[in-house]
Amino acid sequence: MQNNNPLILVVEDDRAIRSLIKNTLEIHSYKSVAAENGQKALLQITSYHPDIVLLDLGLPDMDGIEIIKKVRQWSICPIIVISARTEDNDKISALDAGADDFLTKPFSVEELLARIRSTVRRLQYSETESFSREEIFKNGELVIDYSAATVRLGENQLHLMPIEYNVLCLLARNMGRVLTYSYILDHVWRNSLDGDVSSLRVYMASLRKKIEPGDNRGKYIQTHIGIGYRMLCVE
Ligand code: CA
């Protein structure tokens, strides 16, 4: 990211929404470029290398999910998908194709800015901590020592079941991204037969009791009902 002033590409065919988003970004001192269709979006991504892409899924010339798949062949740039409330399956396909986050239409300006801030925070975090390569993961009081396979919360060593540990590591290595149920099941359970959404929920409930005790519920892990889970980047 250049000069802590991220460049955001807005991909949206609806002119009113596009200019609302662009104006909002400009007022809040973000740099932005815009594209009204998929072809242009791909061109802009190649030529400008934006730090964040806001991508409407319903475009006139191309399915937004195709764009994500294409971009993911060569770029890990964060993609925040924008879609209508009724399109839960589209959100899931978009996340599984490699989108990082989603916003549901209609959304408020505050919601949009909050998503962008949290993405920027994660970009800064991954630049400074290079957390994907580190042996120790730290997020607030939560500490994972990957080489020793241990987890601490503050001073307390936690006792996690192997599946809880594997889910936690997967969420940590993808901090800030919404991971879908099927993504988690594929990565944690692999070919085992007992991997299904209801057992995942049971393990998540148990994991959360351990890492979010008392009134800390929701501090580290955000639930997206019907979609999946995300680890939040704690200040
Ligand atoms: Ca549209």
Side-chain angles (χ1 to χ4, degrees):
M1 197 167 27
Q2 297 149 9
N3 314 324
N4 285 339
N5 193 3
L7 174 66
I8 302 175
L9 169 63
V10 182
V11 186
E12 170 64 77
D13 59 321
D14 184 314
R15 185 186 301 194
I17 301 178
R18 193 170 64 237
S19 52
L20 167 76
I21 296 177
K22 275 212 83 186
N23 291 340
T24 305
L25 294 177
E26 270 151 37
I27 290 168
H28 292 84
S29 337
Y30 292 106
K31 291 179 289 183
S32 69
V33 282
E36 70 274 16
N37 60 46
Q39 285 300 345
K40 263 205 174 159
L42 287 171
L43 263 177
Q44 308 261 53
I45 294 170
T46 326
S47 39
Y48 292 106
H49 299 284
D51 296 297
I52 300 173
V53 176
L54 298 176
L55 177 67
D56 175 31
L57 284 185
L59 296 168
D61 61 334
M62 214 185 268
D63 189 337
I65 290 162
E66 290 311 310
I67 298 181
I68 299 169
K69 287 181 182 161
K70 285 203 166 82
V71 172
R72 278 293 171 263
Q73 292 171 5
W74 53 272
S75 168
I76 55 162
C77 148
I79 299 174
I80 303 174
V81 153
I82 300 177
S83 73
R85 191 169 295 279
T86 49
E87 298 163 336
D88 254 7
N89 284 334
D90 288 353
K91 276 177 216 158
I92 292 170
S93 319
L95 293 166
D96 280 335
D100 296 74
D101 200 353
F102 60 86
L103 258 178
T104 304
K105 279 182 188 171
F107 55 85
S108 67
V109 162
E110 286 72 27
E111 235 179 317
L112 170 70
L113 291 169
R115 292 308 161 88
I116 291 172
R117 276 195 305 271
S118 89
T119 306
V120 169
R121 206 154 56 221
R122 183 161 61 84
L123 284 172
Q124 287 165 340
Y125 185 88
S126 61
E127 275 175 5
T128 54
E129 312 275 325
S130 57
F131 64 93
S132 54
R133 294 189 296 278
E134 292 293 325
E135 285 302 299
I136 305 276
F137 168 87
K138 282 195 192 123
N139 185 19
E141 288 198 302
L142 182 67
V143 179
I144 305 174
D145 182 336
Y146 292 122
S147 54
T150 56
V151 179
R152 278 190 294 116
L153 190 65
E155 293 302 304
N156 301 322
Q157 192 85 33
L158 301 182
H159 299 285
L160 303 186
M161 287 182 278
I163 288 186
E164 292 170 355
Y165 176 76
N166 291 338
V167 173
L168 181 66
C169 291
L170 186 68
L171 288 164
R173 291 199 191 271
N174 292 279
M175 185 160 68
R177 282 186 61 193
V178 179
L179 303 184
T180 63
Y181 299 135
S182 67
Y183 184 93
I184 298 173
L185 291 171
D186 280 356
H187 284 75
V188 173
W189 272 263
R190 299 179 200 278
N191 299 318
S192 118
L193 293 172
D194 60 345
D196 58 38
V197 174
S198 54
S199 44
L200 172 58
R201 285 208 188 96
V202 172
Y203 283 109
M204 286 303 294
S206 157
L207 171 64
R208 298 184 72 161
K209 272 191 198 142
K210 296 174 186 175
I211 67 167
E212 300 176 330
D215 53 7
N216 281 325
R217 188 163 171 85
K219 181 173 176 186
Y220 295 106
I221 294 175
Q222 200 176 49
T223 302
H224 294 272
I225 294 165
I227 296 176
Y229 302 97
R230 174 212 319 260
M231 179 172 288
L232 300 167
C233 181
V234 176
E235 291 289 327

